[in-house]
Amino acid sequence: MGFNTRRLLAAPLLVLAAGGGLLVAAPAEAAGVAATVDVNSAPLKMRQSPTLASAVVGTLADNQKVTLACAVTGPSVRGPVRTTTQWDRLVNGAYVTHAYIRTGRTVPKCATTSPQAAPAKAKPKPKPATVTYKIGTVRSADGSVNVRTAPSTTAPVKRSLGNGATVQGVCGVVGTQVSGTVRTTTQWNRLTDGGYISHAYVVTPTLTLCPGASLTPPNTTPPITPEQFLAASVAGAQQGWREFGVPASVTIGQAILESGWGRSGLSTTDRNYFGIKCQSGKYGTLASGCHDYVTTECTAAGTCFSTTATFRTYATMGHSFRDHGNFLRVNSRYKPAFAYTKDANKFIWTVWKAGYATDPNYYTKITTLMASYNLYQYDTWK
């Protein structure tokens, strides 16, 4: 049913939508875009919002004249006029798909927050991190001072600064020891540009330790060879067997594995070849003290985290080897192993089974080293 053009009203013309019961106000002078419905046969459904899933609030007949207020974006619909995602809002607030609408004008976009396809937003650029620094002044009676790429006098030079120049220090690290105009120190200051300058030539407020940096100076001693390591290990390992009953071959094998042939930072700096820790600040009678290291530990669930651990320090390699024997002897969990003080393989098997290491291949690794380097020859009972 179309418009009843024969019945005139004193008020603005009212049209009853066919089959819908919704009154559509469409006065000639109303603002909007004039349009015609093209549905061929079945009436066009008007909906509460611009989507096919929305509630139907009325219908429009073929060739019915309507006034469009504006357009929004919704689900794509294929109709006799076009296939489109445009939905038109009528002046009564209802929505129809533009796929069934003919009009000679462009329908303006609705100035509304009604659901419609929003343009993809560009990912916001991250704000640059704020770098906190402290101003320092170069003091040098030795000429220009080099800013280097690393905290070492052998690192490449980035630039040079004269006496009185200012620098922006972020934090401090330990590096090569330098004797400068201000002081003799192993501290190097990391600058805002990533370069390093020796603290020996800088007057500055106190800087904090750089994240992840160690307080331990880098070791510049050339690594020893396996032959040198074995030669240095024998006396301490054999003394450990005489005092505590740990086979020398076991002690040397564990030292090789746990210190990487004496090349670990813990062994080169503090002569600790077995990773024995201090307990509540106590380090026993054979160690010389305690030293904090930043290390990584993991939970049983596999979550790893950075923490600080305190390890024993030793005056000599021999003291470390003897303390290893003492450590096993005084811990009750390893007591069963001492039934095999003259059977190296059974001894390390029992120690491993008692929980010395979580590595499932620990026993195999140790006995492979013992066999490969004939460490059994150092067992003094033979």
Side-chain angles (χ1 to χ4, degrees):
M1 182 173 67
F3 281 105
N4 186 342
T5 57
R6 299 178 181 177
R7 184 176 180 183
L8 300 178
L9 302 177
L13 183 64
L14 298 179
V15 180
L16 181 62
L22 179 69
L23 295 177
V24 181
E29 68 274 15
V33 176
T36 302
V37 175
D38 185 349
V39 290
N40 293 329
S41 56
L44 175 63
K45 295 177 181 178
M46 294 183 291
R47 298 185 181 271
Q48 194 172 30
S49 59
T51 171
L52 295 172
S54 181
V56 176
V57 294
T59 58
L60 296 171
D62 186 39
N63 291 322
Q64 185 169 338
K65 306 298 181 181
V66 293
T67 302
L68 312 178
C70 56
V72 299
T73 301
S76 178
V77 176
R78 180 179 180 181
V81 180
R82 63 184 65 81
T83 298
T84 180
T85 59
Q86 179 176 323
W87 285 66
D88 300 323
R89 190 170 75 192
L90 306 179
V91 291
N92 70 338
Y95 291 86
V96 293
T97 172
H98 197 60
Y100 293 87
I101 300 297
R102 295 187 183 279
T103 179
R105 292 174 52 193
T106 300
V107 184
K109 295 290 185 182
C110 294
T112 176
T113 58
S114 298
Q116 52 187 306
K121 294 183 179 179
K123 186 177 181 180
K125 294 182 179 180
K127 295 182 180 179
T130 302
V131 178
T132 302
Y133 60 85
K134 295 180 180 179
I135 298 295
T137 304
V138 175
R139 291 284 181 262
S140 174
D142 305 321
S144 60
V145 180
N146 293 323
V147 176
R148 299 180 179 272
T149 58
S152 170
T153 53
T154 61
V157 176
K158 294 188 67 173
R159 65 183 188 278
S160 297
L161 300 174
N163 183 53
T166 59
V167 292
Q168 298 175 339
V170 178
C171 55
V173 299
V174 175
T176 306
Q177 180 171 297
V178 176
S179 295
T181 302
V182 181
R183 60 184 66 84
T184 296
T185 181
T186 57
Q187 178 178 327
W188 287 66
N189 301 340
R190 182 186 295 170
L191 308 181
T192 52
D193 66 351
Y196 293 85
I197 187 170
S198 172
H199 194 56
Y201 289 98
V202 180
V203 177
T204 180
T206 302
L207 297 174
T208 59
L209 185 67
C210 292
S214 171
L215 290 172
T216 304
N219 179 61
T220 56
T221 304
I224 63 176
T225 65
E227 292 74 18
Q228 291 171 324
F229 183 85
L230 290 176
S233 299
V234 174
Q238 291 179 338
Q239 183 63 28
W241 181 79
R242 287 191 290 269
E243 288 186 72
F244 307 106
V246 178
S249 57
V250 170
T251 300
I252 298 172
Q254 288 188 283
I256 292 171
L257 182 63
E258 296 180 28
S259 72
W261 290 97
R263 296 169 185 171
S264 69
L266 189 59
S267 58
T268 56
T269 302
D270 292 315
R271 299 182 179 87
N272 186 331
Y273 295 86
F274 303 93
I276 299 177
K277 296 180 180 179
C278 290
Q279 301 297 331
S280 302
K282 297 179 181 180
Y283 49 87
T285 59
L286 295 173
S288 58
C290 301
H291 190 170
D292 288 343
Y293 283 81
V294 176
T295 184
T296 299
E297 294 189 3
C298 301
T299 65
T303 302
C304 298
F305 56 92
S306 180
T307 186
T308 300
T310 305
F311 294 87
R312 296 183 183 184
T313 63
Y314 299 92
T316 66
M317 175 188 278
H319 286 170
S320 176
F321 279 41
R322 290 172 59 206
D323 203 22
H324 167 260
N326 180 63
F327 174 81
L328 294 177
R329 172 63 79 174
V330 300
N331 280 274
S332 58
R333 70 160 65 180
Y334 305 121
K335 184 177 179 179
F338 287 90
Y340 307 106
T341 58
K342 292 186 178 182
D343 189 329
N345 281 22
K346 286 185 178 179
F347 185 95
I348 187 58
W349 169 267
T350 309
V351 167
W352 170 62
K353 293 299 287 184
Y356 185 90
T358 57
D359 183 352
N361 298 314
Y362 187 82
Y363 169 77
T364 302
K365 291 177 181 178
I366 296 296
T367 52
T368 298
L369 286 169
M370 292 161 65
S372 299
Y373 295 92
N374 190 23
L375 302 184
Y376 302 108
Q377 65 180 303
Y378 304 117
D379 290 328
T380 55
W381 68 84
K382 292 184 178 180

